[in-house]
Amino acid sequence: MEENGEQKLIAVARHIANTLGHTDTMTDDILKIFSNFDGRLREKLTEKLSDEDPRDCATLEHTLKSLDRQISRYVASDQPIWSDSDDSSSFLDSMDQLISTIRDWNQLADDKNIASCLDRAEDLLQQSMFRLEDEFRSLVERGADSFDLTLGDSTHLDCLDEDESGDENEIPVAHPITDYNIIIDALPAGTIGDLQEIAKRMVAAGYGKECSHAYSTCRREFLEESLSRLGLQKLSIDEVQKLLWTQLEDEIEKWIKAINVALRILFPSERRLCDRVFLGFSSAADLSFMEVCRGSTIQLLNFADAVAIGSRAPERLFKVLDVYETVRDLLPEFELIFSDQYCITLRNEAITIWKRLGEVIRGIFMELENLIRRDPAKAAVPGGGLHPITRYVMNYLRAACRSRQSLEQIFGESIAPPGSNVDYRKGDDRVLSSPFAVQMEWIMELLESNLEAKSKIYRDSALCSVFMMNNGRYIVQKVKDSELGTLLGNDWIKKHNAKIRQYHVNYQRSSWSKVLGVLKVDNNSMSPNGASKSLKEKLKLFYSYFDEICKTQASWVIFDEQSRDELRISVSGTLSPAYRNFIVRLQNAPDLGKHADRHIKYGVEDIEARINELFQGSGSSRR
């Protein structure tokens, strides 16, 4: 009785399996599930399955022949399968059945007959994958061809008008871009949907890398063309270093535009497209994105690296700073876009090059120091005027301070240069706010030392003072009128203004002390006749000294009008009263009387007029 019940149960299980299973394979799967519910059924149901293995192999054979007929028709077709939606749907259904069949029968691959069938199934799958790859590539290319590189209403990468483009083979240059808040949908939505379906089958069949490669090959060309339209040339590091400086400046401008568009528009758009095409397959999406963007990213980073390893001549500072600031400002984009396992090396390379650019900028300032040290003290500047090295260095530093924030960052970890007596870390009376400020003061010290050496060329100590006064005044003015004043502070400015006043005093002492000494008269020990004779001789000597000074110093230069006026007023304020008193004494001499005037060559007003002709740089003096 129990045996009959068991047989009935087995029969019912088989009936249910046959009813629910649309194929023999599905029926067998259901029987296996039933056998797991009761150990008593496992042996008998397993025996049933074993008995039916020859029929199962025949079923597999039949299934493969049917799929081969369906798939081969599409694989051999000269027409794109995706040109007809019915064909593409039918082909994908056949692919689903083939992939499912191989997966379901792999567990029985130990059987030689089934293994032979599976080998044929794998061959059919490979042919199908090749055709799917071709269809995938064709869809990407056709979608890109139909896409106009428009980024917005007024900003775009699209081609120029035909009459502007010139050579047919020349890639047109894009219009300027001002709005980076843009995402490009580089493929139509329908095409993206088709690509998703193909990618799903290829990944499921184990051909994910082939699918990624097909995708990246096409999209990589799109990126390269986009960068070309932005004016960026494909230059190796050696080619960049061989460019003339003016050419390199132009290429840097193009590079800045290109890398901004790439990191803020093109790469994010490609990331979004990869994620949509390979929806649900993050690893395939990451791999595809890396393969698409790697070449363009390396091209952009290599250019920055070529700039970094080039000459450290001081005139390159400002363009190198542009490259440094561009990479720095784009590091958040590098962090965001290149965060997966495949792209992390690109992100790290960007950080490395950014740091290298900072080292180069510090090196450029070292070259500036060497330039100042090596500037020879050969020929004197005519008239004690402004030396070219002063003008160059101060304008250079003033321009550099426009990038103060970046330079503060670059010098952030540096220390005071060797030989500098400034300590910004301790509480002396010249504490500076930052290492960059220390660097600026150190360059100022070098410049002042260089100028002091150059001032020794002048044999006339008064002219030496004029030279130092001119250059010192120029330095202070440039400091006060720029960020240098903030960096160096008021104490520095006060100290150097005091130096200028001392040069002023030195000039007057060197030039006019002897003249003023002549006008001093002591009559206590002289007779009236002797005093008169002495006054006449002193006046004659005064005019000799005065004329010589005016003749010489008329060609000297005080470039700053305020300083020139102050110096003239100071000289007049000292000399005019002394000369007036001397003339009065001469006129009051008893033995000269009314004849005194014949000895007087200049009136006080004449003296003042002659003084006001000094420092014109004209080489002549009005008599």
Side-chain angles (χ1 to χ4, degrees):
M1 186 71 177
E2 183 179 348
E3 185 177 351
N4 289 337
E6 186 177 295
Q7 290 176 352
K8 288 181 181 180
L9 181 59
I10 293 172
V12 170
R14 286 174 178 166
H15 174 72
I16 293 172
N18 288 328
T19 301
L20 296 177
H22 298 295
T23 65
D24 291 337
T25 301
M26 292 177 66
T27 300
D28 292 340
D29 289 341
I30 294 171
L31 287 174
K32 288 179 182 178
I33 292 171
F34 283 149
S35 71
N36 291 330
F37 282 109
D38 194 318
R40 295 171 299 172
L41 303 179
R42 184 176 295 114
E43 183 179 351
K44 295 187 178 293
L45 288 175
T46 303
E47 289 174 358
K48 170 63 181 174
L49 290 173
S50 300
D51 292 342
E52 292 180 354
D53 277 350
R55 183 175 63 78
D56 288 342
C57 187
T59 300
L60 176 59
E61 185 79 36
H62 174 74
T63 300
L64 290 179
K65 285 181 179 180
S66 175
L67 290 173
D68 195 1
R69 283 193 303 271
Q70 298 173 41
I71 292 172
S72 297
R73 176 166 63 90
Y74 294 113
V75 170
S77 175
D78 293 332
Q79 298 296 321
I81 299 174
W82 261 259
S83 61
D84 185 285
S85 59
D86 291 337
D87 287 345
S88 60
S89 296
S90 177
F91 185 60
L92 289 177
D93 288 341
S94 298
M95 290 306 308
D96 288 339
Q97 292 181 45
L98 178 59
I99 294 170
S100 177
T101 298
I102 293 173
R103 183 179 63 246
D104 292 342
W105 283 88
N106 263 334
Q107 57 187 329
L108 299 176
D110 291 340
D111 185 285
K112 291 183 179 180
N113 294 327
I114 293 176
S116 178
C117 291
L118 288 175
D119 287 341
R120 294 206 320 274
E122 291 288 351
D123 290 340
L124 181 60
L125 180 65
Q126 187 178 55
Q127 295 175 34
S128 304
M129 290 297 112
F130 289 158
R131 182 55 192 257
L132 267 183
E133 185 178 340
D134 290 339
E135 292 289 328
F136 188 92
R137 184 180 289 107
S138 178
L139 283 171
V140 175
E141 290 174 349
R142 289 205 305 272
D145 289 341
S146 66
F147 173 70
D148 181 13
L149 284 173
T150 299
L151 299 184
D153 295 333
S154 60
T155 311
H156 46 81
L157 293 172
D158 58 336
C159 298
L160 297 173
D161 296 335
E162 291 183 4
D163 59 345
E164 296 179 354
S165 60
D167 186 356
E168 293 180 357
N169 297 322
E170 184 178 351
I171 296 177
V173 177
H175 294 275
I177 293 173
T178 56
D179 180 11
Y180 294 104
N181 190 24
I182 300 165
I183 292 293
I184 303 173
D185 286 321
L187 296 176
T191 300
I192 293 174
D194 292 335
L195 293 172
Q196 283 178 354
E197 295 301 321
I198 295 176
K200 188 186 303 181
R201 272 71 179 188
M202 292 189 72
V203 172
Y207 285 78
K209 287 186 177 180
E210 289 77 2
C211 186
S212 293
H213 181 71
Y215 173 86
S216 60
T217 301
C218 300
R219 295 305 303 165
R220 186 161 54 238
E221 293 175 0
F222 171 86
L223 270 186
E224 291 172 354
E225 181 180 347
S226 298
L227 292 179
S228 295
R229 292 189 179 199
L230 290 165
L232 189 68
Q233 299 184 57
K234 276 191 171 182
L235 299 172
S236 67
I237 291 178
D238 288 339
E239 288 171 332
V240 172
Q241 292 184 324
K242 290 177 182 177
L243 292 175
L244 298 175
W245 177 239
T246 53
Q247 295 174 321
L248 183 56
E249 285 183 307
D250 292 339
E251 289 302 318
I252 287 174
E253 291 299 322
K254 296 174 185 176
W255 175 86
I256 290 173
K257 177 172 67 173
I259 195 172
N260 272 288
V261 172
L263 268 294
R264 295 179 176 178
I265 297 176
L266 297 177
F267 291 170
S269 298
E270 287 300 321
R271 178 76 257 186
R272 180 170 178 262
L273 184 60
C274 283
D275 291 342
R276 293 176 68 189
V277 170
F278 296 96
L279 185 64
F281 305 103
S282 60
S283 181
D286 292 344
L287 177 61
S288 300
F289 176 71
M290 184 276 291
E291 290 187 347
V292 169
C293 297
R294 184 175 184 275
S296 296
T297 305
I298 289 176
Q299 178 187 353
L300 291 165
L301 292 178
N302 278 349
F303 182 90
D305 201 24
V307 172
I309 63 180
S311 167
R312 297 190 177 187
E315 64 268 15
R316 295 170 65 99
L317 171 67
F318 304 102
K319 284 299 178 184
V320 177
L321 262 172
D322 288 343
V323 176
Y324 171 89
E325 290 172 346
T326 299
V327 176
R328 178 200 63 195
D329 294 345
L330 289 173
L331 284 180
E333 277 72 20
F334 275 103
E335 292 278 356
L336 179 64
I337 298 169
F338 299 121
S339 58
D340 61 78
Q341 57 178 328
Y342 299 108
C343 294
I344 193 169
T345 55
L346 296 175
R347 181 193 67 186
N348 292 342
E349 181 66 13
I351 295 172
T352 298
I353 291 174
W354 168 62
K355 291 180 178 179
R356 189 175 300 146
L357 286 164
E359 293 172 2
V360 169
I361 291 168
R362 289 192 291 271
I364 288 175
F365 274 91
M366 292 179 64
E367 283 301 310
L368 177 64
E369 295 173 15
N370 293 332
L371 182 149
I372 296 170
R373 289 190 186 97
R374 293 193 299 260
D375 191 63
K378 292 182 178 178
V381 177
L386 190 63
H387 197 281
I389 191 67
T390 306
R391 191 186 305 273
Y392 174 82
V393 171
M394 294 311 301
N395 286 330
Y396 187 95
L397 296 182
R398 183 174 181 174
C401 283
R402 294 176 191 146
S403 300
R404 176 184 172 185
Q405 182 180 359
S406 297
L407 291 170
E408 293 276 13
Q409 184 177 17
I410 291 166
F411 284 94
E413 297 180 357
S414 65
I415 59 173
S420 172
N421 59 5
V422 179
D423 188 350
Y424 66 94
R425 295 160 295 182
K426 296 180 181 179
D428 62 15
D429 61 352
R430 293 191 297 145
V431 172
L432 301 177
S433 59
S434 69
F436 177 54
V438 172
Q439 179 67 37
M440 292 298 98
E441 179 157 359
W442 170 238
I443 292 175
M444 293 293 196
E445 289 181 10
L446 289 176
L447 177 60
E448 288 179 51
S449 297
N450 183 275
L451 291 171
E452 287 172 2
K454 287 178 168 59
S455 70
K456 302 297 189 293
I457 300 174
Y458 298 103
R459 295 181 180 179
D460 189 326
S461 59
L463 185 55
C464 173
S465 297
V466 168
F467 174 79
M468 292 303 296
M469 194 189 316
N470 272 319
N471 287 272
R473 180 73 173 178
Y474 186 84
I475 290 170
V476 170
Q477 284 182 345
K478 289 296 181 181
V479 169
K480 289 172 66 176
D481 295 343
S482 69
E483 282 287 321
L484 282 168
T486 305
L487 279 170
L488 300 178
N490 289 329
D491 289 344
W492 188 95
I493 294 173
K494 290 177 181 178
K495 173 187 172 183
H496 283 75
N497 275 330
K499 285 185 177 181
I500 295 169
R501 288 192 295 272
Q502 186 59 49
Y503 295 137
H504 182 134
V505 171
N506 293 345
Y507 159 78
Q508 286 196 243
R509 183 183 297 119
S510 300
S511 285
W512 300 101
S513 293
K514 184 168 63 172
V515 178
L516 288 169
V518 171
L519 296 177
K520 291 181 180 179
V521 178
D522 184 8
N523 290 330
N524 293 333
S525 61
M526 289 187 181
S527 65
N529 289 336
S532 298
K533 184 178 179 181
S534 175
L535 289 173
K536 288 188 292 184
E537 290 175 352
K538 283 179 176 289
L539 184 60
K540 186 177 179 180
L541 188 60
F542 168 82
Y543 288 143
S544 174
Y545 288 161
F546 182 76
D547 286 343
E548 181 63 28
I549 289 174
C550 289
K551 179 182 177 181
T552 301
Q553 296 190 12
S555 63
W556 291 7
V557 178
I558 301 291
F559 83 93
D560 179 63
E561 184 176 356
Q562 180 181 345
S563 296
R564 185 167 60 246
D565 291 342
E566 288 175 354
L567 195 57
R568 288 169 176 170
I569 291 170
S570 178
V571 172
S572 294
T574 303
L575 188 62
S576 294
Y579 180 72
R580 182 181 292 109
N581 291 336
F582 186 92
I583 294 300
V584 169
R585 177 167 294 190
L586 180 71
Q587 290 173 336
N588 292 332
D591 58 334
L592 291 178
K594 64 175 68 175
H595 301 293
D597 290 343
R598 71 177 60 176
H599 300 286
I600 299 172
K601 186 176 182 180
Y602 302 125
V604 175
E605 294 79 8
D606 296 326
I607 293 292
E608 292 176 348
R610 293 291 302 280
I611 291 172
N612 285 334
E613 290 178 351
L614 300 179
F615 318 123
Q616 297 283 7
S618 62
S620 63
S621 175
R622 182 169 58 84
R623 304 297 293 181

